[in-house]
Amino acid sequence: MKEFTREKKFKTRSVAGTLAIAATIAEILSAPRVVILRGELGAGKTTLVKGWLQALGAAEPEEVTSPTFTLVHEYKARKGRVYHLDLYRLESERELAALGLDEMAAEPGALLLIEWGEKFPSLLERADAEVAMAPLEGDERSLWVRWRD
Ligand code: ADP
Ligand code: MG
C-alpha cells in the first residue's frame, strides 16, 4: 500500500466554511487525479465536492447533486473532466471494474472525486489523496487531507 507523505487538517463551522475550504483543498490537490472522500452519511462529502467544482469553474454549488443512484456525474473544468462518484450502493470489485475508472483516470487532466471509495481495496491502492470528513458539534466538521507529492 502506498503511503501518504503530506497532510493538512481543517475545521469548519458551516456549509459556507466547507465550500471555502474546498477551494483551498482544490489548490493543494491540483496534481492528484484520484481522490477518495471518506466520512459517514451527512459528513459533508458532497458539499465539499460542490465547493471543489465551483473552485475549478466546473459548476455552481446549486447545480451539483449527489450521484447516489447514477454513480457518476461528469463536469467539465479548464484542465479536463471532473468525475464525481458515489460508490455507496456499489457492492463488488466486479461492478467497480464495469464503471470504467481506468479510462476516466487516463484522460489528460482528469480528476476523480470518489465518495465511499474506501470500500474497495483496489481504489485505496491507487488513490493519490484522501479527504476524511467527520461531524463534530452541530454544523462543525473536521477535515483531514492526506496526499503524496
Ligand atoms: P455526504 O455527502 O457526506 O453524505 P452531504 O454533503 O450530502 O454529506 O450532506 C451534508 C449535510 O450536512 C448537508 O445537509 C449540509 O447542509 C449539512 N451541513 C451542516 N454543516 C455542514 C458543514 N460544516 N459542512 C458540510 N455540510 C454541512
Ligand atoms: Mg454524498
Side-chain angles (χ1 to χ4, degrees):
M1 177 106 173
K2 292 183 282 181
E3 297 290 330
F4 295 119
T5 51
R6 308 281 310 274
E7 68 166 13
K8 199 167 168 70
K9 290 181 173 167
F10 298 89
K11 206 159 134 186
T12 151
R13 293 177 192 285
S14 64
V15 167
T18 298
L19 295 175
I21 288 170
T24 303
I25 294 177
E27 249 173 68
I28 295 174
L29 301 184
S30 63
R33 332 264 310 249
V34 179
V35 182
I36 290 181
L37 308 178
R38 290 177 178 258
E40 61 191 65
L41 277 176
K45 302 179 295 299
T46 299
T47 304
L48 185 79
V49 172
K50 290 179 186 207
W52 201 318
L53 288 166
Q54 185 176 39
L56 296 178
E60 290 306 312
E62 60 273 14
E63 298 165 346
V64 178
T65 56
S66 176
T68 311
F69 296 96
T70 45
L71 301 179
V72 190
H73 286 166
E74 192 182 313
Y75 301 88
K76 222 169 157 183
R78 288 178 288 273
K79 269 178 71 180
R81 290 204 186 88
V82 182
Y83 294 97
H84 176 201
L85 295 99
D86 183 332
L87 307 185
Y88 185 71
R89 302 174 64 82
L90 214 66
E91 280 170 3
S92 66
E93 288 277 357
R94 185 187 299 232
E95 286 175 288
L96 180 66
L99 271 185
L101 291 188
D102 293 336
E103 287 81 0
M104 295 175 202
E107 288 174 20
L111 173 67
L112 277 61
L113 303 175
I114 311 178
E115 300 186 38
W116 299 100
E118 74 277 13
K119 282 170 59 178
F120 299 96
S122 66
L123 267 181
L124 282 174
E125 186 64 36
R126 74 179 295 170
D128 303 305
E130 281 190 7
V131 182
M133 290 189 75
L136 305 172
E137 283 286 294
D139 287 354
E140 285 192 355
R141 304 286 191 273
S142 67
L143 292 98
W144 182 25
V145 187
R146 289 181 295 160
W147 72 101
R148 67 180 83 80
D149 292 316

Short mmCIF file of all heavy atoms in Angstrom, two decimals, residues 6-7 15 27 30 32 35 45 52 55 65 83 91-92 105 108-109 112 114 121 123 127 131 135-136 138:
data_model
loop_
_atom_site.label_atom_id
_atom_site.label_comp_id
_atom_site.label_asym_id
_atom_site.label_seq_id
_atom_site.Cartn_x
_atom_site.Cartn_y
_atom_site.Cartn_z
N ARG A 6 2.15 13.69 2.87
CA ARG A 6 1.78 15.03 3.31
C ARG A 6 0.40 15.02 3.93
O ARG A 6 -0.45 14.19 3.54
CB ARG A 6 1.77 15.99 2.11
CG ARG A 6 3.02 15.99 1.26
CD ARG A 6 4.14 16.79 1.88
NE ARG A 6 3.72 18.13 2.29
CZ ARG A 6 3.69 19.20 1.50
NH1 ARG A 6 4.04 19.09 0.24
NH2 ARG A 6 3.32 20.37 1.97
N GLU A 7 0.15 15.95 4.86
CA GLU A 7 -1.19 16.04 5.42
C GLU A 7 -1.49 17.46 5.89
O GLU A 7 -0.57 18.24 6.16
CB GLU A 7 -1.39 15.07 6.58
CG GLU A 7 -0.57 15.42 7.80
CD GLU A 7 -1.01 14.65 9.05
OE1 GLU A 7 -1.78 13.68 8.94
OE2 GLU A 7 -0.58 15.06 10.14
N VAL A 15 -21.69 25.28 6.26
CA VAL A 15 -21.61 24.86 4.86
C VAL A 15 -20.73 25.84 4.09
O VAL A 15 -19.87 25.43 3.29
CB VAL A 15 -23.03 24.78 4.24
CG1 VAL A 15 -22.96 24.66 2.72
CG2 VAL A 15 -23.79 23.61 4.83
N GLU A 27 -6.78 23.55 -4.54
CA GLU A 27 -5.45 24.06 -4.90
C GLU A 27 -4.35 23.11 -4.44
O GLU A 27 -3.44 22.78 -5.19
CB GLU A 27 -5.24 25.41 -4.24
CG GLU A 27 -5.20 26.57 -5.22
CD GLU A 27 -5.14 27.89 -4.49
OE1 GLU A 27 -4.10 28.16 -3.85
OE2 GLU A 27 -6.14 28.63 -4.55
N SER A 30 -4.09 19.90 -6.64
CA SER A 30 -4.28 20.18 -8.07
C SER A 30 -3.63 19.10 -8.93
O SER A 30 -4.07 18.84 -10.04
CB SER A 30 -3.74 21.56 -8.44
OG SER A 30 -2.36 21.60 -8.23
N PRO A 32 -3.01 15.60 -7.80
CA PRO A 32 -3.62 14.27 -7.69
C PRO A 32 -4.84 14.10 -8.58
O PRO A 32 -5.58 15.03 -8.83
CB PRO A 32 -4.03 14.21 -6.22
CG PRO A 32 -3.06 15.07 -5.53
CD PRO A 32 -2.80 16.20 -6.49
N VAL A 35 -9.01 10.93 -5.91
CA VAL A 35 -9.13 11.38 -4.53
C VAL A 35 -10.31 10.66 -3.88
O VAL A 35 -11.44 10.69 -4.38
CB VAL A 35 -9.38 12.90 -4.46
CG1 VAL A 35 -9.46 13.36 -3.01
CG2 VAL A 35 -8.28 13.66 -5.22
N LYS A 45 -19.38 15.28 2.45
CA LYS A 45 -18.54 14.95 1.29
C LYS A 45 -19.07 15.62 0.01
O LYS A 45 -18.31 16.21 -0.75
CB LYS A 45 -18.48 13.42 1.11
CG LYS A 45 -17.94 12.67 2.33
CD LYS A 45 -17.93 11.16 2.11
CE LYS A 45 -19.26 10.51 1.94
NZ LYS A 45 -20.18 10.65 3.10
N TRP A 52 -15.52 22.37 -4.45
CA TRP A 52 -14.37 21.98 -5.28
C TRP A 52 -14.68 22.30 -6.75
O TRP A 52 -13.88 22.92 -7.47
CB TRP A 52 -14.11 20.48 -5.08
CG TRP A 52 -12.75 19.99 -5.44
CD1 TRP A 52 -12.00 20.32 -6.53
CD2 TRP A 52 -11.97 19.04 -4.69
NE1 TRP A 52 -10.81 19.62 -6.51
CE2 TRP A 52 -10.76 18.83 -5.40
CE3 TRP A 52 -12.19 18.32 -3.52
CZ2 TRP A 52 -9.77 17.94 -4.96
CZ3 TRP A 52 -11.20 17.45 -3.08
CH2 TRP A 52 -10.01 17.27 -3.79
N ALA A 55 -14.69 25.97 -7.37
CA ALA A 55 -13.33 26.50 -7.43
C ALA A 55 -12.67 26.20 -8.77
O ALA A 55 -11.86 26.98 -9.26
CB ALA A 55 -12.50 25.91 -6.29
N THR A 65 -25.56 17.70 -7.68
CA THR A 65 -26.34 16.80 -6.83
C THR A 65 -25.54 15.54 -6.58
O THR A 65 -24.55 15.27 -7.26
CB THR A 65 -27.68 16.42 -7.50
OG1 THR A 65 -27.39 15.85 -8.79
CG2 THR A 65 -28.57 17.63 -7.67
N TYR A 83 -14.84 13.87 -12.53
CA TYR A 83 -15.83 12.83 -12.30
C TYR A 83 -16.13 12.76 -10.82
O TYR A 83 -15.24 12.56 -10.00
CB TYR A 83 -15.30 11.47 -12.78
CG TYR A 83 -15.10 11.41 -14.27
CD1 TYR A 83 -13.83 11.63 -14.83
CD2 TYR A 83 -16.17 11.16 -15.12
CE1 TYR A 83 -13.65 11.58 -16.20
CE2 TYR A 83 -15.98 11.10 -16.50
CZ TYR A 83 -14.73 11.31 -17.03
OH TYR A 83 -14.55 11.26 -18.39
N GLU A 91 -21.46 -2.77 -4.80
CA GLU A 91 -21.17 -3.84 -3.86
C GLU A 91 -19.92 -4.66 -4.13
O GLU A 91 -19.39 -5.28 -3.23
CB GLU A 91 -22.40 -4.77 -3.76
CG GLU A 91 -23.44 -4.14 -2.84
CD GLU A 91 -24.76 -4.86 -2.86
OE1 GLU A 91 -24.86 -5.90 -3.55
OE2 GLU A 91 -25.67 -4.37 -2.19
N SER A 92 -19.46 -4.70 -5.37
CA SER A 92 -18.33 -5.59 -5.63
C SER A 92 -17.27 -4.95 -6.51
O SER A 92 -17.55 -3.99 -7.24
CB SER A 92 -18.84 -6.86 -6.33
OG SER A 92 -19.33 -6.53 -7.61
N ALA A 105 -9.56 7.95 -15.44
CA ALA A 105 -8.31 8.43 -14.84
C ALA A 105 -7.22 8.63 -15.88
O ALA A 105 -6.28 9.40 -15.67
CB ALA A 105 -7.84 7.46 -13.76
N PRO A 108 -6.26 13.04 -20.02
CA PRO A 108 -5.38 14.14 -19.60
C PRO A 108 -6.13 15.13 -18.72
O PRO A 108 -7.21 15.56 -19.07
CB PRO A 108 -4.98 14.80 -20.92
CG PRO A 108 -5.28 13.82 -21.98
CD PRO A 108 -6.38 12.95 -21.48
N GLY A 109 -5.56 15.43 -17.55
CA GLY A 109 -6.14 16.44 -16.67
C GLY A 109 -7.39 16.01 -15.92
O GLY A 109 -8.02 16.82 -15.25
N LEU A 112 -10.81 12.59 -10.38
CA LEU A 112 -11.87 11.72 -9.87
C LEU A 112 -12.06 11.98 -8.38
O LEU A 112 -11.12 11.80 -7.60
CB LEU A 112 -11.50 10.24 -10.08
CG LEU A 112 -11.77 9.62 -11.45
CD1 LEU A 112 -10.99 10.32 -12.55
CD2 LEU A 112 -11.43 8.14 -11.44
N ILE A 114 -14.13 10.67 -5.31
CA ILE A 114 -14.87 9.43 -5.10
C ILE A 114 -15.36 9.27 -3.66
O ILE A 114 -14.57 9.00 -2.75
CB ILE A 114 -13.99 8.22 -5.47
CG1 ILE A 114 -13.35 8.44 -6.86
CG2 ILE A 114 -14.81 6.94 -5.45
CD1 ILE A 114 -12.43 7.32 -7.29
N PRO A 121 -10.56 -2.09 -1.89
CA PRO A 121 -9.11 -2.15 -1.75
C PRO A 121 -8.37 -1.69 -3.00
O PRO A 121 -7.34 -1.02 -2.91
CB PRO A 121 -8.84 -3.63 -1.47
CG PRO A 121 -10.09 -4.13 -0.84
CD PRO A 121 -11.21 -3.35 -1.47
N LEU A 123 -9.19 0.58 -5.03
CA LEU A 123 -9.20 2.04 -5.10
C LEU A 123 -8.28 2.66 -4.07
O LEU A 123 -7.58 3.64 -4.32
CB LEU A 123 -10.62 2.57 -4.90
CG LEU A 123 -11.42 2.80 -6.16
CD1 LEU A 123 -12.79 3.34 -5.81
CD2 LEU A 123 -10.69 3.78 -7.07
N ALA A 127 -5.36 5.39 -5.00
CA ALA A 127 -5.69 6.78 -4.67
C ALA A 127 -4.44 7.62 -4.50
O ALA A 127 -3.46 7.18 -3.90
CB ALA A 127 -6.54 6.82 -3.40
N VAL A 131 -9.51 12.70 1.48
CA VAL A 131 -10.02 13.72 2.39
C VAL A 131 -11.00 13.02 3.31
O VAL A 131 -11.97 12.42 2.83
CB VAL A 131 -10.74 14.87 1.65
CG1 VAL A 131 -11.20 15.92 2.65
CG2 VAL A 131 -9.85 15.48 0.59
N PRO A 135 -18.17 14.76 11.35
CA PRO A 135 -19.02 15.73 12.04
C PRO A 135 -18.55 15.90 13.48
O PRO A 135 -18.20 14.92 14.13
CB PRO A 135 -20.41 15.08 12.02
CG PRO A 135 -20.30 13.87 11.18
CD PRO A 135 -18.87 13.49 11.11
N LEU A 136 -18.54 17.15 13.93
CA LEU A 136 -18.25 17.41 15.35
C LEU A 136 -19.56 17.90 15.97
O LEU A 136 -20.60 17.36 15.67
CB LEU A 136 -17.11 18.43 15.47
CG LEU A 136 -15.81 18.05 14.71
CD1 LEU A 136 -14.83 19.21 14.71
CD2 LEU A 136 -15.18 16.81 15.31
N GLY A 138 -22.85 20.06 16.22
CA GLY A 138 -23.71 20.85 15.33
C GLY A 138 -23.22 20.85 13.89
O GLY A 138 -23.09 19.80 13.28
#
